């Protein structure tokens, strides 16, 4: 071969571009489109679709863009560290989605976040601080849950985010499940299922894919799966009549995605394998018994609960796929991402069973995308960044969330409520929103409670309150954490003056039998504090019902 012919052949080879017979925009039913796309894909392209990765920083990093362009990953997770500025976030989302759409098959990314409402809100800025799930349980109205899902979904949609890891349908069974607490709707599994279904239908109306979590159920745990593997003592009868009920209800209504938690149920599965890696929970129960056809997403696999068995991160990802997971969520470490890729790609070459599992998982990811991300009213792939902050305020969500907070406000105990405006009031609490709202509504003074007081600081606060108490008729104390409870336990001598405004979970009131006056709200936003303090002031009679049992 002459040098000229050799160089010509080399040039033609370099310029060769794979031409696919189909792309994501073809008008086929979702399942058919997914199958057709998968038929065009190499094993590595299929592997890319089952990976959802996080990234460092606020802008779309070079590393994440490389994963999108070169490996065709299926999704990106937005964490709190990515979302300090909504305009920057919208720009990053647009950059990443555009990179995905420029790939030959034009398959969009699933871009997900945790925006449960209330306590868990990874994207802050101008987004709504809702009264939270436990508030929805206290008001007890499916409409409230539907509209909460809708408003949260609309905010995410404007940012180009098309999946939310919500609703949290863990049934609030164990008072020590403080990592769940106000993230749950209720201790009642049927109410949880009703409100969870309404929430996901609201998000669907807004064009956002819902993900119910944390299957098989985190509400009876006394540990946090971020750091360790919770071992839950429920037997199968109890589990099926409690934790499993919301999933049964929501699956019948077309739930698109479930997040598996790092949770061990040895009395049910007979082992200590976390559900994320356990075929008993994912295949035998979820797929075979419940006939669930949607997407199974892992909780973040860098969490301690997934690694309790001593497996390496690549091995954890392998086991999750073998067990029946479809989407591997792995947060922020490009070095670990590459190790995972090399391990899984190599396995696909030499293990036909594993290869089939990956391609089956990729088919489910593609089916969800084909179903949701082609709908005319769905999330715009490339968000507009010009007026993104103003867009967050473009509806009547603020008035709705105040009304919902008021509907859920719950009178726990009463002797001095309502409190007249002529009374001298001290508002003591951690959250500045509580203190500012109390000052405005009662013309009161306020005292800041430290975020993480050690014993000395706690004693200083107790002494300060005892010294100030003679100046005031009442002290409205914001109780939202165990640290607040420890301070209140030292103030029983003020039982005729203390009024508790509980926010988040009211479970701590159980340990304060001497308290005569207590009102519960379930969030830490301004709307929740306005409603709770309004009830104390007598603006309205609170009609919420406690979503969990308290001691008399």
């Amino acid at each position: 071969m002459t040098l000229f012919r050799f160089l010509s052949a080399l040039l033609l080879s370099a310029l060769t571009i794979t031409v696919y017979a189909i792309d994501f925009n073809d008008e086929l039913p979702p399942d058919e489109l997914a199958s057709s796309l998968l038929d065009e894909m190499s094993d590595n392209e299929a592997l890319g679709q089952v990976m959802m990765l996080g990234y460092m920083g606020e802008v779309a990093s070079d590393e994440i863009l490389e994963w999108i362009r070169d490996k065709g990953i299926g999704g990106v997770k937005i964490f709190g560290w990515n979302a300090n500025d909504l305009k920057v976030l919208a720009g990053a989302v647009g950059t990443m989605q555009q990179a995905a759409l420029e790939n030959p098959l034009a398959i969009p990314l699933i871009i997900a976040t945790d925006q449960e409402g209330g306590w868990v809100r990874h994207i802050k800025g101008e987004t709504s601080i809702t009264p939270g799930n436990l508030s929805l349980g206290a008001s007890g109205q499916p409409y409230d849950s539907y509209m909460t899902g809708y408003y949260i979904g609309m905010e995410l949609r404007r940012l180009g985010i098309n999946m939310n890891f919500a609703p949290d349908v863990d049934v609030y069974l164990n008072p020590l499940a403080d990592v769940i607490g106000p993230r749950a709707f209720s201790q009642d599994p049927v109410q949880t299922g009703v409100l969870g279904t309404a929430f996901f239908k609201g998000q669907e109306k807004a064009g956002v894919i819902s993900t119910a979590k944390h299957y098989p159920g985190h509400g009876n745990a006394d540990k946090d799966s971020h750091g360790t593997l919770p071992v839950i003592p429920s037997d199968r009868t109890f589990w099926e009549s409690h934790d499993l009920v919301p999933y049964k209800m929501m699956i019948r209504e077309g739930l698109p995605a479930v997040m598996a938690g790092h949770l061990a149920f040895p009395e049910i599965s007979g082992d200590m394998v976390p559900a994320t890696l356990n075929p008993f929970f994912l295949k035998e129960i979820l797929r075979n018994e419940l006939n669930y056809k949607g997407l199974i997403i892992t909780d973040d696999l860098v969490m301690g609960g997934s690694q309790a068995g001593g497996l390496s991160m690549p091995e954890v990802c392998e086991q999750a796929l073998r067990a029946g997971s479809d989407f591997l969520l792995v947060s922020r470490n490009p070095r670990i991402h590459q190790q995972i890729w090399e391990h899984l790609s190599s396995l696909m070459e030499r293990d036909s069973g594993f290869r089939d599992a990956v391609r089956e998982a990729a088919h489910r990811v593609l089916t969800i995308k084909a179903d949701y991300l082609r709908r005319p009213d769905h999330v715009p792939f490339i968000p507009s960044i010009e007026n993104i902050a103003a867009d967050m305020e473009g509806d009547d969500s603020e008035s709705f969330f105040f009304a919902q907070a008021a509907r859920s406000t719950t009178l726990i105990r009463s002797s001095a409520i309502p409190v007249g405006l002529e009374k001298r009031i001290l508002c003591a609490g951690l959250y500045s929103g509580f203190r500012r709202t109390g000052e405005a509504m009662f013309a009161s003074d306020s005292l800041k409670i430290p975020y993480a007081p050690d014993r000395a600081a706690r004693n200083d606060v107790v002494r300060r309150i005892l010294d100030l108490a003679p100046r005031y008729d009442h002290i409205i104390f914001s109780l939202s954490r165990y640290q607040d409870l420890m301070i209140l336990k030292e103030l029983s001598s003020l039982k005729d003056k203390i009024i508790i405004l509980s926010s988040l979970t009211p479970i701590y009131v159980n340990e304060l039998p001497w308290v005569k006056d207590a009102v519960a709200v379930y969030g830490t936003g301004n709307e929740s504090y306005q409603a709770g303090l309004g009830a104390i002031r007598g603006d309205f009679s609170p009609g919420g019902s406690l979503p969990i049992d308290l001691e008399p």
Side-chain angles (χ1 to χ4, degrees):
M1 177 184 292
T2 67
L3 179 62
F4 175 76
R5 289 178 63 189
F6 172 76
L7 293 175
S8 297
L10 188 64
L11 179 61
L12 285 171
S13 175
L15 292 175
T16 298
I17 299 173
T18 302
V19 178
Y20 293 97
I22 193 171
D23 69 23
F24 187 79
N25 298 306
D26 280 41
E27 295 182 2
L28 291 173
D31 186 69
E32 290 184 32
L33 179 59
S35 296
S36 298
L37 289 169
L38 193 60
D39 287 344
E40 297 283 340
M41 298 173 77
S42 68
D43 285 349
N44 275 348
E45 287 174 315
L47 176 60
Q49 283 297 307
V50 307
M51 297 186 71
M52 175 180 281
L53 304 181
Y55 64 97
M56 299 292 290
E58 296 182 45
V59 300
S61 65
D62 291 340
E63 291 84 0
I64 198 66
L65 290 173
E66 181 179 341
W67 278 89
I68 294 167
R69 290 175 177 138
D70 296 347
K71 295 186 173 68
I73 59 172
V76 173
K77 166 68 193 302
I78 305 299
F79 288 88
W81 59 76
N82 307 128
N84 294 313
D85 183 298
L86 294 190
K87 192 169 183 178
V88 174
L89 174 62
V93 167
T95 298
M96 292 185 291
Q97 195 64 271
Q98 187 63 51
L101 296 176
E102 289 171 357
N103 285 340
L105 291 172
I107 301 171
L109 291 164
I110 287 180
I111 299 182
T113 195
D114 282 287
Q115 201 80 346
E116 298 173 14
W119 193 15
V120 175
R121 175 172 159 260
H122 281 195
I123 299 174
K124 296 182 170 60
E126 293 77 16
T127 62
S128 297
I129 305 174
T130 80
N133 281 359
L134 210 54
S135 170
L136 297 170
S139 63
Q141 299 187 22
Y143 173 81
D144 283 349
S145 193
Y146 177 89
M147 292 305 298
T148 297
Y150 174 75
Y151 283 125
I152 289 174
M154 287 299 293
E155 292 182 351
L156 296 181
R157 174 178 176 171
R158 292 171 185 135
L159 290 162
I161 294 168
N162 50 33
M163 174 178 274
N164 193 11
F165 293 154
D168 186 324
V169 293
D170 295 311
V171 183
Y172 198 170
L173 298 170
N174 188 336
L176 298 179
D178 51 8
V179 70
I180 300 301
R183 301 166 67 186
F185 289 107
S186 171
Q187 69 183 11
D188 183 285
V190 173
Q191 185 185 39
T192 298
V194 169
L195 297 176
T197 300
F199 191 104
F200 110 66
K201 292 295 185 180
Q203 288 201 134
E204 186 170 68
K205 174 67 174 176
V208 170
I209 304 167
S210 292
T211 307
K213 63 186 184 186
H214 304 82
Y215 175 81
H218 210 308
N220 200 23
D222 61 358
K223 299 289 190 301
D224 182 352
S225 57
H226 286 83
T228 189
L229 176 64
V231 180
I232 298 173
S234 305
D235 61 24
R236 182 151 183 175
T237 299
F238 184 87
W239 173 67
E240 287 188 345
S241 62
H242 291 79
D243 302 89
L244 199 58
V245 169
Y247 293 98
K248 290 179 178 178
M249 295 172 68
M250 296 174 76
I251 287 168
R252 285 197 296 267
E253 295 298 323
L255 178 68
V258 166
M259 174 175 279
H262 311 312
L263 306 159
F265 287 76
E267 298 299 317
I268 300 172
S269 65
D271 55 43
M272 290 290 290
V273 178
T276 337
L277 316 180
N278 199 323
F280 173 81
F281 286 108
L282 303 188
K283 291 183 177 179
E284 185 172 335
I285 301 295
L286 202 51
R287 294 293 185 204
N288 297 337
E289 292 191 15
L290 300 186
N291 197 32
Y292 175 62
K293 304 296 186 184
L295 203 59
I296 300 176
I297 303 170
T298 70
D299 207 344
D300 192 349
L301 291 170
V302 305
M303 292 165 58
S306 73
Q307 300 169 55
L311 299 176
S312 68
M313 183 59 64
E315 290 169 335
V316 166
C317 292
E318 173 193 345
Q319 187 59 39
L321 288 166
R322 290 189 187 276
S325 296
D326 302 312
F327 226 165
L328 305 176
L329 171 59
V330 186
S331 54
R332 48 174 181 177
N333 191 323
R335 180 179 60 83
I336 295 295
H337 296 167
Q338 185 61 33
Q339 291 175 1
I340 293 167
W341 179 270
E342 290 173 358
H343 178 73
L344 300 182
S345 178
S346 174
L347 271 177
M348 289 186 77
E349 292 178 2
R350 64 181 192 270
D351 185 333
S352 61
F354 181 74
R355 174 183 181 273
D356 291 344
V358 171
R359 295 189 73 90
E360 183 179 351
H363 185 273
R364 289 200 183 93
V365 174
L366 292 168
T367 300
I368 287 291
K369 290 183 177 184
D371 186 2
Y372 279 81
L373 302 188
R374 296 186 300 164
R375 298 181 184 183
D377 61 346
H378 213 272
V379 178
F381 292 151
I382 310 300
S384 169
I385 66 173
E386 295 305 317
N387 299 302
I388 197 70
D391 286 348
M392 294 296 113
E393 303 169 3
D395 52 41
D396 60 350
S397 58
E398 186 174 339
S399 60
F400 166 78
F401 287 128
F402 172 73
Q404 196 273 311
R407 282 191 288 274
S408 64
T409 300
T410 308
L411 184 64
I412 301 175
R413 301 174 192 161
S414 177
S415 67
I417 296 172
V419 173
L421 288 177
E422 75 281 0
K423 300 293 185 179
R424 295 166 299 167
I425 303 296
L426 174 68
C427 290
L430 166 67
Y431 291 101
S432 60
F434 162 76
R435 299 194 305 274
R436 286 195 306 267
T437 303
E439 289 170 1
M441 293 182 68
F442 285 95
S444 69
D445 297 326
S446 66
L447 177 69
K448 180 178 180 180
I449 303 299
Y451 176 73
D454 57 19
R455 179 178 293 275
R458 190 166 66 238
N459 290 340
D460 285 343
V461 171
V462 170
R463 283 194 296 269
R464 178 70 173 152
I465 291 174
L466 291 173
D467 288 344
L468 289 172
R471 306 181 192 177
Y472 299 98
D473 297 302
H474 293 290
I475 299 167
I476 302 177
F477 195 103
S478 174
L479 170 61
S480 60
R481 312 164 301 148
Y482 182 77
Q483 295 95 321
D484 301 327
L485 174 64
M486 292 299 95
I487 291 170
L488 277 165
K489 282 188 169 184
E490 302 298 319
L491 296 174
S492 59
S493 63
L494 302 178
K495 62 183 179 180
D496 294 323
K497 291 194 174 189
I498 292 285
I499 298 173
I500 287 178
L501 179 58
S502 169
S503 57
L504 302 177
T505 175
I507 198 71
Y508 301 119
V509 177
N510 274 342
E511 300 193 41
L512 299 167
W514 53 268
V515 168
K516 299 179 179 180
D517 293 273
V519 168
V521 294
Y522 306 91
T524 57
N526 289 337
E527 292 84 359
S528 295
Y529 288 130
Q530 288 165 7
L533 290 167
I536 291 171
R537 195 171 66 176
D539 295 352
F540 66 98
S541 297
S545 299
L546 283 169
I548 57 172
D549 290 335
L550 295 182
E551 296 173 6

